[in-house]
C-alpha cells in the first residue's frame, strides 16, 4: 500500500525512470494477438540459473482513457495493422511517483500490460499480478516488480497498470461514472488474458490472480464481483482485504463533488461536474485529489482520497461492486476458488514512514491517546483507554513502546480486516484457505532496510508492510543489497515463489520438490479458526489462530457486527 520514501534519501532515484527497457536484449520475437501482431524481446536473468526468457511490455489492453473516456469504464483496444513493438513498459497512470513524490505518468497510453514467459510451450499456469499503492499510486513496472525470479518456474507472469486516484475511482453516482474504473481496468486485463495468453504458452483455464496491499484488496474485490466471474481460478491475497478501512469508500460521490469544488466547479449537476473534470489537466487532478481527505478521514484510516465503492443501479452498464463487501460475504456471494491469505509480522511499521514522529509527537499522545483511535471502530465509551491498557499498560508513550505501537497500527490498518475476511470466507465454506505469516527479517525488504537508518533509537525488528515484495520480485532501485548466491534470502525467495507456483499449478501449495513441511488449510476452532504457515528461515506450521490474543481482544472491544465499520 504505502511505499513513500523521503526524497532526500532517493535523490538519485530519478534515473530509475529511464531504466525501463534497457536490460540486455538478445533478439526479438513475434506473437499474433486477437488485436494484431506484437514484437517482444529476449532478456537474460541476473539471478539463479541466469536463463533467457521472453518479455512483451506495454501491450495495450484498453483504449486510452482520455477525453470523454476519462473516469468511464475501459473500452476494448482498437486493433492495429502491421507489427507493434512491445519492448518498453507503458508509462504509469498519472500519479505522484511512489519514490520521487513528483507527478509522473501519461494518461494517453498508460493502460498497458506486460507478459513474461520462459518459452512458448503450451499449458503453463498463468499468474496475473495486481500492484499495490493504496489505489492512489503504483504501476506494474520492473522497478519494483521485475519477474525474473519467476522465470525459474514453468509459469507465465502478467503485470499491468490500472487507473489510480480520482482518475480510477471517482464516482458521480450515475450510470456514466458509477466508479471503480480502476478495478474494471483489471477486469479488462483478465479478459485480455482469456483471449490472448495461449499465444505465450499460458493456459487460460488456469489463471491465478495475486496482489499485495491495495493489490491484495483488489484480488479480494474480484472474488466478490460478478464482472470477474470465471476469469480466474485461484487467488492469493497478500497484506490486504476489501474489509480494511482504507480499501473502501462509503462517501465516494460526496468526495467526487468536493473534488470538483476544490478545482473550481460549483455545480451540483453530475453531468456538468463530469464535463468540467474531463477538461482539466490530469496532473492538476492528481494534485487536487488529496484536498478531499479530512483529519477525521485520516484518524479513521480512510487515508486515500478515492477508493472502491458500491455502484449505482442506474443504467445498463456492468456493475463491478453491487453491495458492501461485508454484506456480499455474509450472503455467500463469493467466487469458489482456492485462496491463500497472509500478512507480514510487522505490517504497522509503515506508519513510521508516513507520520512524522518525534519526542513532541509522543508527548501529545500521552495527553490525548484518543487522537489515534479511529472513530469508526464502534468501541464502548472507554474504548480508547481499553486499547491503551491492552497495548501499553501504564507505560508512557515514547520511543521505548514503538514495537507495541506498531502492533496497534498493524491491527487497525491490516490484521483486523484480514482476520474478519478469513472468518467470513470460512463461513461461506466454498473453497480451501491457506494462511501464512512472514517472519523472515532479511536483507531484501525495502522498509525494514530503510527505517532503521531513520529511527536508530527504535527496536524495528520484524517484516514491514511491503517487505515481502522483495522475495517474489527483483527490485531495480537503490537501497537494499542484491541477493547473494547461497544466502538465506535466496532460499526464502525459492521457498516463497515455489509455494506460490505450486498453488498456481494445482490449487494446493503442497507438492513442490523442495518442500519441507505440509501447509495445512485453515479449519474452524474454538478460537474461531486455526492453522497458518510461518514463513521464517524455515517454514513452520502453527496450529493456532494468527495473532490470536490480539484478535480476541478486538472482538471483545468492538461490537460483534463491527470491524472498522463503514456506513452501508
Amino acid at each position: 500500500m504505502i511505499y513513500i520514501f523521503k526524497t532526500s534519501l532517493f535523490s538519485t532515484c530519478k534515473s530509475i525512470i529511464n531504466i525501463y527497457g534497457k536490460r540486455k536484449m538478445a533478439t526479438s520475437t513475434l506473437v499474433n494477438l486477437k488485436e494484431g501482431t506484437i514484437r517482444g524481446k529476449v532478456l537474460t536473468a541476473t539471478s539463479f540459473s541466469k536463463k533467457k526468457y521472453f518479455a512483451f511490455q506495454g501491450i495495450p489492453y484498453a483504449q486510452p482513457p482520455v477525453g470523454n473516456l476519462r473516469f468511464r469504464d475501459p473500452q476494448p483496444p482498437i486493433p492495429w495493422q502491421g507489427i507493434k513493438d512491445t519492448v518498453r513498459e507503458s508509462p504509469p497512470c498519472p500519479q505522484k511517483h511512489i519514490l520521487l513524490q513528483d507527478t509522473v505518468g501519461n494518461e494517453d497510453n498508460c493502460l498497458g500490460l506486460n507478459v513474461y514467459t520462459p518459452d512458448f510451450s503450451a499449458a503453463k499456469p498463468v499468474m496475473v499480478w495486481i500492484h499495490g499503492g493504496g489505489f492512489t499510486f503504483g504501476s506494474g513496472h520492473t522497478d519494483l516488480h521485475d519477474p525474473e525470479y519467476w522465470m525459474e518456474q514453468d509459469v507465465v507472469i502478467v503485470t499491468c497498470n490500472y487507473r489510480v486516484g480520482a482518475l480510477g475511482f471517482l464516482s458521480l453516482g450515475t450510470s456514466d461514472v458509477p466508479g471503480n474504473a480502476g478495478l474494471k481496468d483489471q477486469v479488462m486485463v483478465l479478459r485480455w488474458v482469456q483471449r490472448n495468453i495461449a499465444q505465450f504458452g499460458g493456459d487460460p483455464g488456469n489463471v491465478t490472480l495475486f496482489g499485495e496491499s491495495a493489490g491484495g484488496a483488489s484480488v479480494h474485490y474480484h472474488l466478490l464481483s460478478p464482472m470477474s466471474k470465471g476469469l480466474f481460478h485461484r487467488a492469493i491475497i497478500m497484506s490486504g482485504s476489501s474489509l480494511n478501512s482504507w480499501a473502501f469508500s462509503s462517501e465516494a460521490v460526496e468526495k467526487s463533488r468536493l473534488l470538483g469544488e476544490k478545482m473550481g466547479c460549483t455545480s451540483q449537476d453530475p453531468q456538468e461536474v463530469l464535463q468540467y473534470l474531463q477538461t482539466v489537466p490530469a496532473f492538476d487532478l492528481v494534485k487536487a485529489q488529496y484536498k478531499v481527505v479530512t483529519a477525521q478521514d485520516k484518524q479513521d484510516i480512510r487515508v486515500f482520497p478515492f477508493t472502491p465503492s458500491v455502484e449505482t443501479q442506474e443504467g445498463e452498464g456492468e456493475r463491478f461492486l453491487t453491495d458492501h463487501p461485508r454484506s456480499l460475504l455474509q450472503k455467500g456471494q463469493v467466487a469458489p476458488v482456492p485462496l491463500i491469505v497472509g500478512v507480514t509480522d510487522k505490517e504497522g511499521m509503515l506508519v513510521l514512514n508516513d507520520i512524522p514522529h518525534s519526542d513532541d509527537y509522543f508527548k501529545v499522545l500521552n495527553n490525548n491517546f484518543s487522537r489515534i483511535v479511529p472513530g469508526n471502530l464502534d468501541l464502548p465509551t472507554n474504548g480508547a483507554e481499553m486499547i491503551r491498557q491492552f497495548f501499553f499498560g501504564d507505560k508512557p508513550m515514547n520511543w521505548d513502546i514503538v514495537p507495541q505501537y506498531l502492533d496497534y497500527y498493524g491491527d487497525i490498518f491490516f490484521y483486523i480486516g484480514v482476520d474478519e475476511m478469513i472468518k467470513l470466507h470460512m463461513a461461506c465454506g466454498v473453497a480451501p484457505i491457506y494462511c501464512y505469516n512472514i517472519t523472515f527479517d532479511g536483507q531484501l525488504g525495502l522498509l525494514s532496510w530503510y527505517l532503521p537508518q531513520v529511527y536508530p533509537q527504535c527496536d524495528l525488528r520484524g517484516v514491514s508492510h511491503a517487505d515481502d515484495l522483495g522475495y517474489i520480485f527483483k527490485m531495480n532501485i537503490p537501497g537494499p543489497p542484491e541477493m547473494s548466491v547461497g544466502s538465506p534470502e535466496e532460499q526464502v525467495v525459492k521457498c516463497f515463489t515455489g509455494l506460490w507456483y505450486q498453488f498456481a499449478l494445482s490449487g494446493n501449495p503442497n507438492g513442490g520438490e523442495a518442500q519441507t513441511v505440509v501447509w495445512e488449510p485453515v479449519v474452524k476452532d474454538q478460537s474461531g479458526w486455526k492453522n497458518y504457515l510461518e514463513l521464517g528461515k524455515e517454514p513452520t506450521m502453527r496450529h493456532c489462530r494468527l495473532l490470536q490474543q490480539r484478535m480476541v481482544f478486538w472482538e471483545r472491544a468492538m461490537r460483534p457486527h463491527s470491524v472498522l465499520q463503514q456506513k452501508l
Side-chain angles (χ1 to χ4, degrees):
M1 183 176 71
I2 301 177
Y3 318 114
I4 304 175
F5 296 88
K6 295 185 173 52
T7 305
S8 58
L9 181 66
F10 288 101
S11 60
T12 61
C13 284
K14 291 187 177 181
S15 62
I16 70 171
I17 296 178
N18 298 317
I19 69 172
Y20 307 140
K22 287 189 175 181
R23 300 175 67 205
K24 183 177 179 182
M25 180 165 58
T27 184
S28 63
T29 187
L30 301 180
V31 170
N32 295 317
L33 307 179
K34 297 293 185 181
E35 298 80 19
T37 302
I38 59 173
R39 177 187 288 116
K41 59 185 177 182
V42 177
L43 299 177
T44 301
T46 61
S47 308
F48 299 119
S49 62
K50 298 180 172 52
K51 65 190 298 183
K52 288 180 169 55
Y53 62 95
F54 299 89
F56 301 82
Q57 298 173 318
I59 305 171
Y61 68 83
Q63 293 179 38
V66 297
N68 63 5
L69 293 184
R70 179 186 279 182
F71 308 123
R72 296 181 188 268
D73 294 359
Q75 298 301 306
I78 298 173
W80 57 86
Q81 300 296 318
I83 297 173
K84 181 183 289 291
D85 283 325
T86 54
V87 295
R88 182 170 287 107
E89 295 165 306
S90 301
C93 293
Q95 60 185 274
K96 281 189 177 180
H97 192 275
I98 58 179
L99 297 179
L100 307 177
Q101 288 295 281
D102 292 335
T103 49
V104 299
N106 188 334
E107 195 178 13
D108 288 335
N109 62 340
C110 72
L111 296 184
L113 60 80
N114 315 299
V115 180
Y116 304 91
T117 183
D119 57 60
F120 296 94
S121 59
K124 294 178 179 60
V126 180
M127 300 183 71
V128 180
W129 172 255
I130 308 297
H131 70 75
F135 301 104
T136 306
F137 44 83
S139 73
H141 285 179
T142 50
D143 54 350
L144 296 177
H145 308 114
D146 188 326
E148 69 170 47
Y149 297 158
W150 292 102
M151 295 298 99
E152 297 297 309
Q153 311 285 357
D154 195 31
V155 64
V156 177
I157 297 292
V158 178
T159 64
C160 65
N161 298 342
Y162 57 91
R163 282 173 285 179
V164 293
L167 292 164
F169 295 93
L170 182 132
S171 172
L172 295 174
T174 64
S175 57
D176 283 341
V177 184
N180 300 327
L183 288 169
K184 294 172 184 176
D185 291 343
Q186 297 171 16
V187 172
M188 191 69 82
V189 170
L190 293 173
R191 291 173 175 172
W192 183 97
V193 166
Q194 289 300 305
R195 292 195 307 273
N196 290 305
I197 207 64
Q199 299 299 104
F200 302 88
D203 179 0
N206 187 3
V207 176
T208 297
L209 193 56
F210 71 134
E212 185 269 347
S213 195
S218 294
V219 173
H220 193 217
Y221 276 117
H222 287 289
L223 288 165
L224 306 175
S225 174
M227 288 183 65
S228 308
K229 186 176 180 180
L231 297 178
F232 64 101
H233 312 90
R234 316 166 193 323
I236 301 174
I237 300 174
M238 303 168 60
S239 300
S241 164
S242 68
L243 302 180
N244 292 135
S245 188
W246 49 263
F248 176 81
S249 174
S250 59
E251 301 176 338
V253 175
E254 293 88 340
K255 295 289 187 186
S256 299
R257 289 175 178 167
L258 179 58
L259 177 64
E261 292 178 12
K262 296 289 186 183
M263 301 197 72
C265 178
T266 58
S267 174
Q268 294 299 303
D269 183 327
Q271 192 61 32
E272 291 183 7
V273 175
L274 172 61
Q275 291 174 354
Y276 181 85
L277 292 179
Q278 284 180 332
T279 62
V280 300
F283 287 157
D284 288 352
L285 276 168
V286 170
K287 294 172 183 176
Q289 65 187 0
Y290 297 95
K291 297 178 181 178
V292 308
V293 181
T294 67
Q296 188 62 52
D297 288 336
K298 294 177 182 178
Q299 183 172 343
D300 290 346
I301 319 298
R302 297 193 297 262
V303 293
F304 301 111
F306 292 93
T307 55
S309 60
V310 176
E311 295 168 43
T312 178
Q313 297 186 38
E314 298 178 2
E316 298 180 356
E318 292 183 284
R319 299 173 67 208
F320 182 88
L321 188 62
T322 59
D323 202 347
H324 189 286
R326 182 177 292 106
S327 296
L328 293 171
L329 282 166
Q330 289 170 341
K331 290 183 287 189
Q333 296 181 16
V334 58
V337 303
L339 183 61
I340 287 178
V341 178
V343 293
T344 68
D345 75 334
K346 215 70 172 180
E347 297 276 3
M349 201 181 293
L350 67 91
V351 300
L352 285 177
N353 191 61
D354 295 305
I355 301 173
H357 289 79
S358 64
D359 292 336
D360 289 340
Y361 174 83
F362 287 115
K363 288 178 182 177
V364 170
L365 292 189
N366 270 318
N367 296 323
N368 185 15
F369 180 79
S370 62
R371 69 177 290 163
I372 63 169
V373 177
N376 55 350
L377 278 176
D378 207 14
L379 296 167
T381 305
N382 65 336
E385 183 59 28
M386 290 173 58
I387 292 172
R388 181 163 182 166
Q389 284 297 315
F390 179 80
F391 283 93
F392 310 107
D394 295 323
K395 295 178 181 178
M397 303 294 290
N398 56 35
W399 294 108
D400 294 336
I401 55 83
V402 163
Q404 300 97 300
Y405 172 82
L406 299 182
D407 286 342
Y408 164 68
Y409 264 108
D411 285 356
I412 61 176
F413 262 99
F414 299 103
Y415 300 127
I416 297 173
V418 169
D419 181 77
E420 186 192 18
M421 175 176 66
I422 291 171
K423 288 186 294 184
L424 288 173
H425 275 266
M426 284 189 62
C428 294
V430 294
I433 305 167
Y434 298 89
C435 183
Y436 71 86
N437 182 30
I438 300 173
T439 61
F440 178 73
D441 190 6
Q443 298 297 309
L444 301 184
L446 201 53
L447 275 178
S448 61
W449 166 83
Y450 163 70
L451 288 173
Q453 301 178 58
V454 182
Y455 297 102
Q457 69 272 47
C458 297
D459 178 2
L460 293 179
R461 287 172 292 181
V463 188
S464 171
H465 182 73
D467 275 354
D468 45 351
L469 293 181
Y471 297 90
I472 58 174
F473 291 107
K474 184 176 182 294
M475 293 190 177
N476 298 309
I477 59 173
E482 292 195 10
M483 178 178 62
S484 57
V485 176
S487 65
E489 286 77 12
E490 183 182 71
Q491 296 307 309
V492 170
V493 168
K494 289 180 178 179
C495 172
F496 208 159
T497 55
L499 288 168
W500 268 218
Y501 168 72
Q502 190 63 35
F503 178 77
L505 184 66
S506 66
N508 186 328
N510 298 295
E513 293 180 2
Q515 189 170 351
T516 59
V517 63
V518 175
W519 189 349
E520 300 175 37
V522 170
V523 296
K524 292 182 180 180
D525 181 67
Q526 60 184 5
S527 71
W529 62 273
K530 69 176 183 178
N531 289 346
Y532 70 91
L533 184 67
E534 182 176 304
L535 286 167
K537 188 174 181 180
E538 296 291 338
T540 305
M541 272 304 303
R542 302 297 184 190
H543 298 288
C544 58
R545 180 179 175 185
L546 180 61
L547 303 174
Q548 180 170 319
Q549 184 179 7
R550 279 155 51 188
M551 294 304 103
V552 169
F553 163 77
W554 288 112
E555 286 177 340
R556 292 173 178 172
M558 296 184 292
R559 296 176 187 173
H561 68 278
S562 174
V563 176
L564 292 181
Q565 183 68 43
Q566 303 290 324
K567 290 184 293 184
L568 300 181

